[in-house]
Amino acid sequence: MADVAEKAGVSRALVSIVFRNQPGASEETRERVLRVADEIGYRPDSAARLLARGRSRTIGVMFTVHQTFHTDLIEGIYPEAERLGYDVLLSASAQGRSEAKAVEALLGHRCEALILLGSDAEAAYLDELGQRAVTVSVSRRVPRARVDFVHSAEGKGVRQAMDHLVELGHRRIVHIDGGRGPGSADRRRAYRAAMRRHGLEAEVRVIPGEHTEQSGIETGHLLLAERDRGLPLPTAVLAGNDRCAWGLLMVLTRAGLEVPRDLSVVGYDDSHLSHLMPMGLTTVRQDAWLMAEHAVRFAVERLEKPELEPREAVLDPKLVVRGTSGPAPEPSA
């Protein structure tokens, strides 16, 4: 500001008034100061100004690299944060970079609140984190942690998918588990409950997996190896998430199987790539934008009222039927 003031021939205090858009400077002076600032490349440091007041007005978002649904959530977080007057800072967990390291980086940059996308942290860590900073967990609920939660009704989404498959005549329905992934335990329980409800308890099969393409690829190879040994293929697979479903579809189609004629596949998330596939993935849609809006709103409201009790937003999922689900194949003669 001193450089701008010297070149514009005004006081530093007057430059400050112009940058803060406060009354006290003539229109001619205001234009001259802004022109000089532009000429020398000066930009007001809003972050420094906020920190001087003890605020950063920045929300930190922890996400996982390669999780496509997280990019959908982030896309919804930005406009809502901007609408409420907050900046967003991202920090990723990845192979070789733990969630804790990603979170500490956000805190080190003085983020006032944290939004954790698909956290796999233990309850004790989340609880401790909630005492250090305003924290919202998206897609994963941990009852004992005093943080806010935003997630979809996992059981309801799985029930819709299972009812859809059973109505199409499927009986041998396999579920690829999501391991420690967000929502996996609820989806696994809902799958088992749906199979029992439809009288298919004898057909229950949960294959261990993760929320990755590799998990779907490995399951595909497993099912094909079983077929080669004379065991029947399932007629439908409920994957832990869309990424897992994509990996499975890749292996099945390369092996010459036709989806959904030979086997139906259903994912979970309805991430932005689901409808871009050649056949379109049947999947359970989580409303990423609505989840993002709730998360940002929870964070900002708690910043304004720290005494609020932990809150939870449970959003309704919706089955989206596309090209990877169809009638169960006729039994072999």
Side-chain angles (χ1 to χ4, degrees), residues 30-260:
R30 191 177 298 276
E31 290 178 359
R32 184 167 74 254
V33 167
L34 293 175
R35 184 176 64 252
V36 168
D38 187 57
E39 288 173 358
I40 69 175
Y42 175 81
R43 294 291 181 273
D45 191 340
S46 58
R49 209 162 53 230
L50 287 166
L51 286 173
R53 300 175 192 165
R55 295 289 306 274
S56 69
R57 294 194 74 84
T58 302
I59 297 173
V61 179
M62 189 285 299
F63 69 104
T64 302
V65 172
H66 301 313
Q67 283 292 359
T68 52
F69 186 62
H70 289 186
T71 64
D72 296 345
L73 288 165
I74 290 168
E75 191 175 9
I77 285 171
Y78 272 107
E80 184 65 9
E82 183 176 340
R83 185 183 73 82
L84 295 173
Y86 283 77
D87 288 330
V88 174
L89 185 64
L90 304 179
S91 185
S93 65
Q95 187 172 4
R97 190 172 196 253
S98 67
E99 178 179 321
K101 184 173 286 188
V103 167
E104 289 302 324
L106 294 172
L107 293 174
H109 283 86
R110 301 197 182 186
C111 293
E112 290 190 67
L114 301 173
I115 295 178
L116 311 181
L117 306 184
S119 170
D120 66 356
E122 298 293 336
Y125 175 77
L126 279 181
D127 192 51
E128 184 265 338
L129 192 59
Q131 297 177 45
R132 296 172 62 193
V134 168
T135 303
V136 183
S137 174
V138 178
S139 295
R140 178 163 177 255
R141 178 178 180 271
V142 181
R144 296 180 300 282
R146 288 184 62 79
V147 301
D148 293 326
F149 298 102
V150 178
H151 60 97
S152 70
E154 311 282 354
K156 186 179 293 186
V158 169
R159 283 195 298 274
Q160 292 178 32
M162 294 296 291
D163 289 349
H164 168 67
L165 291 172
V166 171
E167 287 170 6
L168 289 170
H170 294 278
R171 296 295 180 268
R172 293 196 309 277
I173 306 171
V174 167
H175 175 52
I176 307 175
D177 186 31
R180 286 176 51 86
S184 295
D186 290 334
R187 294 172 198 177
R188 182 169 58 249
R189 283 192 293 268
Y191 160 77
R192 292 183 181 277
M195 291 292 277
R196 288 194 300 270
R197 182 164 51 88
H198 287 292
L200 301 174
E201 191 165 9
E203 300 289 349
V204 168
R205 184 182 182 189
V206 177
I207 298 176
E210 296 177 333
H211 286 171
T212 63
E213 291 86 355
Q214 185 60 33
S215 179
I217 290 170
E218 291 172 358
T219 298
H221 288 311
L222 171 66
L223 296 178
L224 291 173
E226 291 177 349
R227 180 197 62 174
D228 293 343
R229 297 199 304 270
L231 298 174
L233 281 171
T235 63
V237 175
L238 173 64
N241 73 342
D242 291 347
R243 291 180 62 197
C244 179
W246 298 331
L248 175 65
L249 286 168
M250 183 178 70
V251 171
L252 296 179
T253 54
R254 285 180 178 177
L257 294 176
E258 288 190 29
V259 177

Side-chain angles (χ1 to χ4, degrees), residues 269-281:
D269 282 343
D270 194 29
S271 49
H272 65 277
L273 296 179
S274 300
H275 63 283
L276 300 179
M277 298 174 63
M279 67 187 75
L281 178 66

